[in-house]
Amino acid sequence: PTVNTVRVRQDWLEHRITQAGSLSGLADELQTTVSTISRYARGQAEAGPRFIGSVLTTYPVEFADAFYVSTEKITKIEERRVGKECRS
């Protein structure tokens, strides 16, 4: 099974980190944590609604310039979570 999710565009993120001077600088601009920015920079996290909202209200950027929709295989842990949400 697969699921559609939102990911941060790596080229956009690398540009923003450079412009901010560091991961910490970007975290400050977006009012989030360095560990959150680091997870996105390593491609380990889906873009959540708070992060997406912060990006879109902080920078003059369109959604498609900073994010993309990715179709990914569901892991066993995600399969249980998605199944539980569908039963609610």
Side-chain angles (χ1 to χ4, degrees):
T2 61
V3 64
N4 292 324
T5 191
V6 176
R7 296 278 179 179
V8 180
R9 290 192 180 279
Q10 290 301 304
D11 58 336
W12 180 87
L13 186 60
E14 289 170 12
H15 173 74
R16 291 307 327 159
I17 292 168
T18 300
Q19 292 295 305
S22 65
L23 291 174
S24 180
L26 183 58
D28 289 345
E29 288 179 10
L30 293 172
Q31 298 179 351
T32 190
T33 64
V34 174
S35 62
T36 295
I37 300 299
S38 179
R39 281 192 300 277
Y40 291 130
R42 292 188 316 257
Q44 293 180 329
E46 300 171 30
R50 291 181 184 171
F51 184 77
I52 293 168
S54 183
V55 166
L56 296 178
T57 58
T58 302
Y59 305 109
V61 64
E62 295 292 323
F63 179 88
D65 294 332
F67 304 99
Y68 67 98
V69 176
S70 173
T71 301
E72 302 175 8
K73 287 183 81 169
I74 297 176
T75 64
K76 286 291 184 186
I77 293 171
E78 290 170 331
E79 194 171 287
R80 285 195 303 266
R81 188 180 75 222
V82 171
K84 184 176 182 179
E85 290 170 359
C86 291
R87 290 190 296 268
S88 300

